[in-house]
Amino acid sequence: MPSTSFPSASDAATVRVSRSRAILADEVRGIPWIDRLDEEERTRVVDDLRVVEVDPGELVCRVGRPVTYWFGVLDGLLKMSNDTALGMPITFTGLPPGGWFGEGTVLKREAYRYNIQALRKSLVTGISVATFHWLLDRSIGFNRYVMMQLNERLGQFIAAREIDRLTSANERVARSLGALFHPVLYPGVGGLLRITQLELGYLVGLSRQRVNEALQALQVAQLIRIEYGGLRVLDLDGLRRYTEAVAAAR
DNA sequence: TCATTAAATTGTT
DNA sequence: AACAATTTAATGA
């Protein structure tokens, strides 16, 4: 298992729907918008929801493929990325538990505009395009959630552009973590983000060593606490405001 | 439930 | 990239 490279999207397998199963009652609780629905809506949704286990490197959806589902992460960690014209992959964001994606393309019934790849063994669920639109046509609560989602996601993309311009590795890690700990977008994360330093490296585009170094700096700055297989946030605002100048002033 | 072993993750060079 | 140290997960009595 080489630690330097991650399977590229081009030669990775795509998850098949035939591998999916029905959702368990316990797993339904991990869906942030389920409480916004009434009895009838919830029944139809639970009936429609499919769950599939995704192995590291596997693709949940691929650029250009027709939209089939609106996806959500129940457990694990996914990466949203795209290939530039030059063939270099650019990571937009990580998707921790509680995150839902693809609403933009589902809304317009277009093809997916990015690749979603599992960084680790993950549990992914989703509802069909038909059910998505059915909900959109009758549930105000669902509409509010989707609107919030679109709005917050826009903010994330803007933040991602800023992160790309940052030269300091410490700052990049800090800002990326700030995005990953988004309490509204990823309510499943809570105070503890389950992510290894290797996975964070794939996400931010840094070596594991450099990520380790950055995390230690952030821990010294009292912004996070490093735990085995994960990170705990102590100061979310501080993470987002973090700059090298502040650290140097210590 | 506990002890042992294997695997995963972190810290360091 | 390699290595040692640490933590967790798996196994079986």
Side-chain angles (χ1 to χ4, degrees):
Chain A
M1 239 356 106
S3 63
T4 48
S5 66
F6 194 76
S8 70
S10 48
D11 53 46
T14 307
V15 169
R16 297 158 298 165
V17 186
S18 58
R19 244 171 52 194
S20 68
R21 56 163 171 83
I23 195 166
L24 306 175
D26 192 47
E27 295 166 338
V28 174
R29 295 188 206 106
I31 301 175
W33 45 269
I34 201 77
D35 292 330
R36 296 174 183 250
L37 310 183
D38 66 27
E39 202 75 31
E40 184 190 348
E41 291 158 353
R42 207 170 310 159
T43 303
R44 169 160 177 172
V45 164
V46 169
D47 197 53
D48 187 54
L49 278 164
R50 303 301 300 175
V51 177
V52 62
E53 190 169 272
V54 188
D55 286 322
E58 269 192 303
L59 287 168
V60 176
C61 61
R62 189 192 292 264
V63 170
R65 292 290 183 81
V67 170
T68 49
Y69 282 89
W70 180 48
F71 293 107
V73 184
L74 289 175
D75 193 32
L77 186 66
L78 309 183
K79 182 181 74 168
M80 180 186 288
S81 66
N82 207 337
D83 291 319
T84 64
L86 300 173
M88 175 189 277
I90 172 173
T91 299
F92 290 136
T93 182
L95 288 156
W100 283 73
F101 56 93
E103 62 281 342
T105 40
V106 172
L107 268 172
K108 293 190 282 185
R109 298 176 190 271
E110 286 179 338
Y112 291 114
R113 289 179 306 213
Y114 35 68
N115 294 317
I116 301 286
Q117 197 171 16
L119 283 177
R120 66 157 72 168
K121 189 179 271 291
S122 304
L123 215 51
V124 177
T125 189
I127 59 173
S128 65
V129 175
T131 300
F132 181 90
H133 278 95
W134 180 78
L135 283 174
L136 217 54
D137 283 341
R138 59 170 287 161
S139 168
I140 290 180
F142 187 75
N143 274 272
R144 288 221 178 93
Y145 179 85
V146 172
M147 252 193 271
M148 177 278 292
Q149 178 87 4
L150 286 167
N151 189 43
E152 296 292 343
R153 180 81 70 213
L154 178 62
Q156 288 239 305
F157 278 106
I158 292 171
R161 291 203 54 181
E162 289 175 2
I163 292 173
D164 270 340
R165 277 202 294 269
L166 293 174
T167 51
S168 157
N170 288 9
E171 290 179 11
R172 291 174 63 115
V173 171
R175 304 291 205 88
S176 297
L177 285 179
L180 244 29
F181 275 104
H182 198 298
V184 188
L185 228 36
Y186 312 124
V189 171
L192 176 69
L193 177 66
R194 292 271 305 165
I195 189 173
T196 68
Q197 300 180 3
L198 179 61
E199 291 164 346
L200 189 53
Y202 287 139
L203 224 45
V204 188
L206 297 170
S207 71
R208 187 176 70 79
Q209 292 95 318
R210 193 60 190 82
V211 167
N212 179 272
E213 199 180 340
L215 289 177
Q216 311 239 14
L218 297 179
Q219 180 168 247
V220 167
Q222 304 273 312
L223 299 175
I224 61 168
R225 187 162 58 219
I226 302 172
E227 296 190 7
Y228 186 88
L231 302 165
R232 194 171 292 281
V233 181
L234 304 178
D235 182 358
L236 184 54
D237 283 337
L239 261 187
R240 294 181 174 155
R241 282 197 305 265
Y242 180 87
T243 61
E244 285 300 290
V246 173
R250 292 182 51 84

